[in-house]
Amino acid sequence: MTQHRTVDVGGSHLYRITIGPGLLDDGALLAATLRGDAFVVSDDAVAPLYLQRVLDALSAARPGLRIGHWTMPAGEGSKTLATFGQAIDAIASAGMRRDATVYALGGGVVGDLAGFAAAAWMRGVDCVQLPTTLLAMVDSSVGGKTAVDLPQGKNLVGAFHPPRAVLADTAALRTLPARELRAGLAEVVKYGAIVDAPFLDWLEANADALLAGDDAALAEAIARSCAHKAAIVERDPYEHGDRALLNFGHTFGHAIETSQGYGGLIHGEAVAVGMVQAALLSERLGLSSAADTARLRGLLRRFGLPVEPPPGLDPDTLLAHMRLDKKAQSGGLRFIVWDGAGRARVLAGVPESEVRAVLAG
Ligand code: NAD
Ligand code: GLY
């Protein structure tokens, strides 16, 4: 029998993250928190691979269950208010009631949009996250942040809506394009960078296995990442404090994504570049050493990730996006900086001149 790993998220919203191969076919687990109807949201790359299996497994576990489903175009460009409106239309047309559960089957884009639809439909119905990318398994499916992007900035419209359960079927990673696997590794590196220096040693030692899609290495990386995310979210579900550490590299990264109109670097890649820029900023501020930055850069490079911003981005535009990023507050630019591996913190009032110097390379 295959052993599944579990990580429990405590605090005011308790739920379990289950990690292991074959979970998308496990009707009993899929339906464990289900109270009424089911509605599965996916995208047009994931649905042909996994949607029917989830529908079959749910129907087998709950004969007579009313199940609706809806599929959106794949990619960050779909994470819009317009697509959100279409999702709500589909949920309404399917007659989903207050005790319905929305299942988010896909990567972080589906998870964020379907989670937001679940938060908004009838002022909130249950959501179960079924992440199919590494990035979604280690980050976006956990913690209840849901949102869509605006042309002005990423994730600017959304809600906190914790899932009732997260089922990460690691076998789904076998169909994930290599570029997407690498992007997920950026968020895995983030946990080492912010709170777990020994995890960086482990990632360096296991880089080849992770890149080769080794099941055991990936399961370990996912479980360890989820344990960190669960601990942080449990302490600070609404990001009044520590949770902001999870945004290491994101102020720079989001500005790149927005400047590129959500059609250039994918999220994990932008975060990889952003983490190096955050390390360079920390170095400029005298908080960390050039060796710290070099180590981070080296690991991200080993994972095939970009470590420098794409050419041609305008620093003024990037700074304008940073000012509107949710990490910014009225008191000026706020960044997640580090004092070296595993020691990140929030720093407010960072002078724009220092940020400009980093952007200027
Ligand atoms: P994504 O959802 O766009 O998925 C990447 C691509 O892989 C898509 O084309 C998708 O169709 C495809 N895909 C997904 N699973 C597959 C599989 N198993 N086999 C084959 N193809 C598959 O991108 P992502 O990287 O998963 O998520 C990025 C999004 O997550 C961003 O919008 C980001 O803002 C968000 N995010 C949210 C949080 C949060 O806390 N809510 C945290 C981190 C990131
Ligand atoms: N990915 C950032 C957070 O969940 O807070």
Side-chain angles (χ1 to χ4, degrees):
M1 204 183 90
T2 311
Q3 276 286 352
H4 295 153
R5 293 164 184 252
T6 57
V7 176
D8 288 331
V9 183
S12 50
H13 299 277
L14 306 172
Y15 54 95
R16 171 161 288 184
I17 307 163
T18 309
I19 302 156
L23 302 186
L24 294 179
D25 300 307
D26 188 332
L29 208 48
L30 285 164
T33 58
L34 184 63
R35 299 180 294 129
D37 309 327
F39 192 87
V40 186
V41 175
S42 193
D43 72 27
D44 60 13
V46 174
L49 298 168
Y50 301 110
L51 177 61
Q52 196 56 49
R53 280 168 53 182
V54 170
L55 298 177
D56 290 347
L58 277 169
S59 302
R62 293 283 177 92
L65 177 70
R66 288 180 72 228
I67 314 185
H69 58 89
W70 177 77
T71 294
M72 61 196 236
E76 187 74 32
S78 284
K79 221 177 102 174
T80 61
L81 277 173
T83 316
F84 168 77
Q86 291 163 13
I88 293 290
D89 275 350
I91 291 170
S93 301
M96 290 292 118
R97 295 168 287 204
R98 288 199 85 106
D99 55 0
T101 295
V102 171
Y103 290 83
L105 173 66
V109 167
V110 168
D112 280 11
L113 188 134
F116 187 30
W121 177 243
M122 295 194 173
R123 299 202 186 90
V125 296
D126 288 349
C127 181
V128 168
Q129 292 280 345
L130 306 176
T132 61
T133 64
L134 179 61
L135 186 140
M137 291 180 192
V138 300
D139 195 351
S140 60
S141 65
V142 179
K145 279 189 181 176
T146 73
V148 295
D149 304 329
L150 296 184
Q152 292 89 338
K154 267 192 63 83
N155 300 328
L156 286 180
V157 184
F160 285 99
H161 190 61
R164 296 269 292 150
V166 180
L167 307 183
D169 185 339
T170 49
L173 297 176
R174 292 180 197 141
T175 58
L176 190 66
R179 182 182 179 189
E180 300 293 346
L181 187 82
R182 293 195 295 263
L185 287 168
E187 299 277 18
V188 174
V189 169
K190 178 185 78 179
Y191 293 106
I194 61 173
V195 287
D196 186 358
F199 192 28
L200 288 184
D201 301 334
W202 185 89
L203 289 169
E204 283 162 352
N206 290 276
D208 291 340
L210 290 164
L211 284 167
D214 178 82
D215 289 334
L218 284 169
E220 173 65 20
I222 295 165
R224 202 150 161 181
S225 299
C226 284
H228 283 306
K229 179 132 190 191
I232 291 173
V233 163
E234 206 172 303
R235 284 201 302 275
D236 180 22
Y238 300 111
E239 200 171 308
H240 298 309
D242 268 13
R243 183 165 182 168
L245 301 182
L246 295 169
N247 300 323
F248 185 61
H250 284 56
T251 306
F252 287 107
H254 282 174
I256 293 171
E257 284 185 85
T258 307
S259 291
Q260 293 191 305
Y262 310 115
L265 292 188
I266 55 177
H267 179 70
E269 292 171 339
V271 167
V273 174
M275 287 193 292
V276 173
Q277 293 194 306
L280 288 168
L281 179 66
S282 307
E283 209 184 305
R284 282 194 69 79
L285 298 172
L287 308 174
S288 61
S289 69
D292 292 322
T293 310
R295 184 184 181 197
L296 179 65
R297 196 191 276 117
L299 181 56
L300 293 168
R301 270 212 184 108
R302 184 130 179 241
F303 284 142
L305 287 159
V307 293
E308 276 164 25
L313 294 180
D314 171 33
D316 288 324
T317 310
L318 289 168
L319 267 166
H321 290 314
M322 287 179 196
R323 289 187 205 106
L324 192 58
D325 196 81
K326 296 191 304 313
K327 268 68 82 188
Q329 292 181 332
S330 44
L333 288 175
R334 207 168 66 114
F335 282 86
I336 315 306
V337 292
W338 75 348
D339 299 303
R343 289 176 294 141
R345 60 188 161 101
V346 182
L347 189 65
V350 176
E352 277 199 17
S353 55
E354 297 293 345
V355 182
R356 274 186 190 282
V358 170
L359 294 176

